[in-house]
């Protein structure tokens, strides 16, 4: 499983390995799965439609986290973690597709404002305990 970069699934099935050195390699497996799958997905789409792949992966990851409330299933499956990488890829794509620095800064300013509003709302929503424990767990992993 370790040679094929599938050890994150082995940890889900069998628990942590006996060697503590091997225990951290689940994250390397997820990264390698992402890097092997990502070019195939992007090759199949025109550049102008990359945002669809990013959105589909991010939404699928959040949905998976919402449907599985086990901490083990939040940290080790590929689908749970790959959404975080898709967020980074989406940001890199936005930078590469911006026509000029001025348009990029405008996009960044709008994103910062939206993130500020989202996190402010999330903070007050969580502080008031209006959110279920499962939802707080799902979205707290996104922010970290």
């Amino acid at each position: 499983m370790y040679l094929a970069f599938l050890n994150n699934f082995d940890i889900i099935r069998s628990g942590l390995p006996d060697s503590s050195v091997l225990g951290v390699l689940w994250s390397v497996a997820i990264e390698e799965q992402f890097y092997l799958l990502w070019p195939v997905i992007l090759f199949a789409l025109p550049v102008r439609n990359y945002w669809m792949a990013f959105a589909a992966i991010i939404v699928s990851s959040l949905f998976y986290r919402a449907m599985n409330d086990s901490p083990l299933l939040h940290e080790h499956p590929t689908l749970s973690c790959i959404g975080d990488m898709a967020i980074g890829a989406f940001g890199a794509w936005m930078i590469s597709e911006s026509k000029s620095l001025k348009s990029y800064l405008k996009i960044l300013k709008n994103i910062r404002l939206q993130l500020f509003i989202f996190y402010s709302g999330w903070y007050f929503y969580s502080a008031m305990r209006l959110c279920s424990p499962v939802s707080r767990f799902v979205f707290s992993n996104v922010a970290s």
Side-chain angles (χ1 to χ4, degrees), residues 94-128:
M94 283 180 45
I95 291 170
S96 72
E97 288 299 303
S98 66
K99 302 300 180 209
S100 68
L101 183 59
K102 186 176 180 180
S103 65
Y104 169 69
L105 292 174
K106 184 178 178 181
I107 291 169
L108 187 61
K109 182 179 176 184
N110 289 336
I111 289 173
R112 283 189 303 198
L113 177 62
Q114 291 168 2
L115 285 175
F116 175 76
I117 292 168
F118 173 77
Y119 283 119
S120 297
W122 183 255
Y123 173 77
F124 291 115
Y125 190 68
S126 295
M128 293 171 47

Side-chain angles (χ1 to χ4, degrees), residues 1 20 23 25 44 46-47 53 72-73 76-77 92 96 116 128 133-135 143:
M1 298 288 271
S20 61
L25 292 179
V47 174
L72 183 66
L73 293 178
H76 295 94
S96 72
F116 175 76
M128 293 171 47
V134 171
S135 298

